[in-house]
Amino acid sequence: MGLQGYLLVSAILFGIGAFGFMARRNAILMLISIELMLNAVNLSLVAFNAYGPPGSPAGAIFALLVMAVAAAEATVGLALVIAIIRTRKTAEVDQYADLKE
Amino acid sequence: MQLIDLAPLLPELILVFLVLAIITVDLFLPRNGKWILTALTVSGLVLVGAACIPVWGVNDRIFEGFYVVDDLSVFFKAATVVIGILAALFAPSYLAQRRMPLGEFNTILIFSLIGMFVLASSADLITLFIGLELMVMPAYLMTAFHKTDRYSNEGGLKYFLLGSFASAILLFGISWTYGLTGSTRIEGMGALAHAAGPAGILAIGLLTVGATFKAAAVPFHFWTPDAYQGAPTPITGFLSVGPKLGAFALLVRLFAEGLGPMSADWYAVMAILAVATMTGGNIVALTQTNVKRMLAYSSIAHTGYILAGLAAFAHAVDPDIRAQGIESILFYVLGYGVMNMAAFAVVGMLQRDPRRFGGLGGFAGLAGRAPWLAAGMAILLLSLTGIPPTVGFFAKLYVLIATVDAGVAWLAVAIALNAALAAFYYLRVIVYMYMRDPEDQPAPIDRSPVGIAALAISVVAVLALGLFPEPVLAFLQASVASLF
């Protein structure tokens, strides 16, 4: 499997994540979908790094940093979900409709 | 291995120490001594602003080329400091009335400012992404800062979900850019021009969607009104200008610096987005009766005007006219930052009663009840409309000149028509303030001295920048020159 194979898997993963984000209405599942998208990015970064110009680990380092950012994002996201469940008793985003025209 | 010279990082280092100082001092302060935190934050930020002076003119890359301290970044940092000081002054009284902790607010605010600094100074896509996330994650938390308030929670979660979604899209674009060019350097992005075909278009498309999402351009704006309406009002003021300044730093770095050599390819997209954004934002703003939500939509319209500056840059060929496009973006972002933040602060002052949500009725008869506040708000609204002699007029004029000189006069016409449309909803608030009778039980007005002082400073700045823009323009021209 060459670079194209990895990129195909990465694109499929990204697509599943993006679809899940738009189709799912539960805040935590939407958060998981975003994590899936970030993992797809990581896969493409390390694949580009492995098949790219030799001697530069920029892609692999980027992937490590993206993991750290994803962890921080999950922390912030879960904190926000917990805060909203305390006032609403539900994680379904369709129920969060107080802010409108 | 040689040690890195940290002198160009002085402003960032002071910010980091300021955060640590705030967290530490907060632990030992009694409940009624929290005002010291505001004093500490503001004096620290003034120090950061002073530290920007020695790094002016350095124009050097550090950390092996990952971080650039050029005059453009110094301009963004100086504007960030102004916004940070205003945020730290406007918020305390509003937060105290609703029992929200001041120490955490100042901490999160400074973290977000550090992110904006890193974003403005990024010379590499890795640094750019880290800076962006460091800027927006505190912004999500600030939106949801009123933990027990359902509106604040809702706004925060929506902002977080859509913002993270946009970050993932931007990141995928960055990954493909890296794959196609073999480098994560921003200056190496021009090589995308050689990567013709669907992959290159995909990369640029993903970058455009991700970046304009962050700047709240139509059709990627739908998180904006909810996040802005839900957040505590002075924080909304910060959100509408701080992360927006960061988003335009991102756009200038990515598109003007990175993709500048191939600007003919993305000019049309940026011009269409600009017109869609200003028109879309204005039309929805017309129908709003809640001033807070109206200002949220109008901030989308302002994004459109600023994007027109970027489109002017993209269409021009002559370097002088291209520079003019970037200058118009920077001047607009600065002027808009001061006037919009102060306008939100006035809305917050009318929310002394926590059950008030910034309805138009609260402004009725304000001229009789608080003449100075009404006069200040009127000046801010006139500036947002773009009426001389305010900074709003000059900022719009500058974008108009840039678009006409770049040969995209139809964009200038779109801006002028939109400014006329916007006049209707801005002036309606002035009509309410000066020509309507107050409500039966008008909302009490928050007259905290710190907030009033910050408002006075903002109004004076709005007038001063409109009457005497030359010093700032000279500063701008010098900082943009470092880009070319």
Side-chain angles (χ1 to χ4, degrees):
Chain A
M1 192 164 82
L3 175 61
Q4 287 182 343
Y6 287 107
L7 291 182
L8 189 66
V9 174
S10 141
I12 293 172
L13 260 183
F14 193 85
I16 294 174
F19 176 78
F21 179 83
M22 287 182 255
R24 290 291 186 169
R25 298 271 57 101
N26 182 302
I28 294 175
L29 289 173
M30 290 169 84
L31 186 59
I32 292 173
S33 301
I34 293 171
E35 297 295 312
L36 208 56
M37 292 165 75
L38 292 177
N39 284 338
V41 173
N42 277 344
L43 182 61
S44 71
L45 279 173
V46 290
F48 279 132
N49 186 62
Y51 289 88
S56 160
I61 292 169
F62 204 162
L64 281 174
L65 287 168
V66 172
M67 281 182 209
V69 168
E73 207 161 65
T75 315
V76 170
L78 287 175
L80 292 175
V81 172
I82 289 170
I84 199 166
I85 287 180
R86 284 208 178 118
T87 53
R88 307 286 179 109
K89 314 291 178 213
T90 172
E92 296 293 319
V93 289
D94 288 343
Q95 307 285 320
Y96 307 157
D98 287 357
L99 292 171
K100 51 178 186 278
E101 309 305 325
Chain B
M1 188 186 144
Q2 72 182 86
L3 285 172
I4 296 163
D5 180 18
L6 289 177
L9 280 177
L10 189 62
E12 285 86 345
L13 290 174
I14 297 177
L15 271 182
V16 172
F17 282 109
L18 180 59
V19 167
L20 299 177
I22 293 169
I23 296 174
T24 317
V25 170
D26 186 29
L27 291 174
F28 299 103
L29 284 179
R31 195 165 283 276
N32 57 3
K34 297 292 185 193
W35 61 271
I36 293 172
L37 291 171
T38 302
L40 181 66
T41 309
V42 172
S43 48
L45 285 174
V46 170
L47 200 61
V48 175
C52 285
I53 298 170
V55 296
W56 172 261
V58 168
N59 287 320
D60 197 13
R61 283 166 197 265
I62 46 176
F63 297 131
E64 318 232 316
F66 275 90
Y67 204 82
V68 59
V69 182
D70 58 0
D71 292 346
L72 181 71
S73 74
V74 177
F75 172 82
F76 275 120
K77 286 171 192 177
T80 304
V81 167
V82 172
I83 288 171
I85 290 174
L86 287 179
L89 289 175
F90 280 133
S93 143
Y94 187 94
L95 298 182
Q97 287 154 22
R98 289 162 180 77
R99 303 185 159 279
M100 287 187 260
L102 193 57
E104 279 88 333
F105 167 76
N106 283 320
T107 310
I108 300 176
L109 174 72
I110 306 289
F111 270 125
S112 187
L113 298 184
I114 296 175
M116 287 155 72
F117 272 49
V118 174
L119 184 52
S121 267
S122 50
D124 191 284
L125 292 170
I126 299 179
T127 327
L128 183 96
F129 181 69
I130 303 289
L132 174 71
E133 290 300 296
L134 188 55
M135 172 185 81
V136 292
M137 268 190 242
Y140 305 147
L141 292 174
M142 284 169 113
T143 312
F145 202 68
H146 200 181
K147 275 196 304 187
T148 51
D149 178 67
R150 41 198 293 136
Y151 297 101
S152 183
N153 282 330
E154 182 180 329
L157 190 73
K158 285 178 174 171
Y159 188 14
F160 166 77
L161 285 173
L162 290 164
S164 310
F165 184 62
S167 292
I169 293 174
L170 181 74
L171 194 56
F172 205 43
I174 290 176
S175 167
W176 275 85
T177 309
Y178 163 64
L180 292 170
T181 61
S183 153
T184 52
R185 288 283 184 269
I186 287 178
E187 58 192 359
M189 284 174 73
L192 267 180
H194 309 300
I201 295 171
L202 173 78
I204 295 176
L206 289 169
L207 289 176
T208 311
V209 172
T212 50
F213 219 117
K214 293 287 175 197
V218 172
F220 313 112
H221 66 288
F222 29 81
W223 54 271
T224 319
D226 285 355
Y228 287 9
Q229 192 189 355
T233 312
I235 292 179
T236 310
F238 172 74
L239 290 179
S240 73
V241 301
K244 184 144 316 195
L245 176 107
F248 277 99
L250 173 93
L251 279 165
V252 168
R253 287 282 177 212
L254 269 187
F255 285 86
E257 193 180 6
L259 299 173
M262 47 186 298
S263 62
D265 294 342
W266 52 264
Y267 148 73
V269 176
M270 221 35 100
I272 292 168
L273 279 175
V275 174
T277 306
M278 58 181 96
T279 317
N282 272 332
I283 287 177
V284 190
L286 279 177
T287 64
Q288 302 300 320
T289 52
N290 183 319
V291 178
K292 197 172 168 185
R293 207 169 166 89
M294 183 272 277
L295 285 174
Y297 277 108
S298 89
S299 83
I300 299 176
H302 286 284
T303 304
Y305 304 141
I306 309 174
L307 280 176
L310 194 58
F313 161 85
H315 193 260
V317 183
D318 180 12
D320 285 346
I321 299 176
R322 280 166 89 89
Q324 207 177 18
I326 303 296
E327 283 159 20
S328 73
I329 295 177
L330 300 190
F331 191 81
Y332 207 111
V333 168
L334 177 68
Y336 161 83
V338 176
M339 63 192 178
N340 213 43
M341 192 135 147
F344 271 114
V346 174
V347 178
M349 286 174 190
L350 295 179
Q351 288 178 289
R352 180 75 180 76
D353 175 354
R355 283 164 300 169
R356 301 278 176 162
F357 293 108
L360 202 49
F363 283 86
L366 192 65
R369 296 168 53 219
W372 285 102
L373 189 64
M377 184 65 173
I379 292 171
L380 294 171
L381 289 166
L382 290 175
S383 177
L384 284 164
T385 317
I387 290 171
T390 56
V391 67
F393 164 74
F394 206 80
K396 274 206 186 67
L397 182 70
Y398 217 55
V399 176
L400 286 176
I401 294 172
T403 48
V404 170
D405 283 353
V408 276
W410 63 275
L411 260 179
V413 173
I415 293 171
L417 289 176
N418 266 290
L421 201 61
F424 176 75
Y425 59 79
Y426 285 131
L427 298 182
R428 185 167 58 187
V429 179
I430 297 183
V431 169
Y432 263 79
M433 288 196 300
Y434 281 90
M435 297 178 185
R436 297 286 170 95
D437 293 327
E439 295 170 307
D440 291 341
Q441 289 178 313
I445 297 168
D446 175 19
R447 294 173 198 268
S448 87
V450 177
I452 295 286
L455 182 65
I457 295 169
S458 314
V459 172
V460 170
V462 161
L463 289 173
L465 279 173
L467 288 170
F468 312 107
E470 287 84 6
V472 177
L473 282 180
F475 177 31
L476 270 178
Q477 279 156 358
S479 55
V480 171
S482 73
L483 192 66
F484 290 94

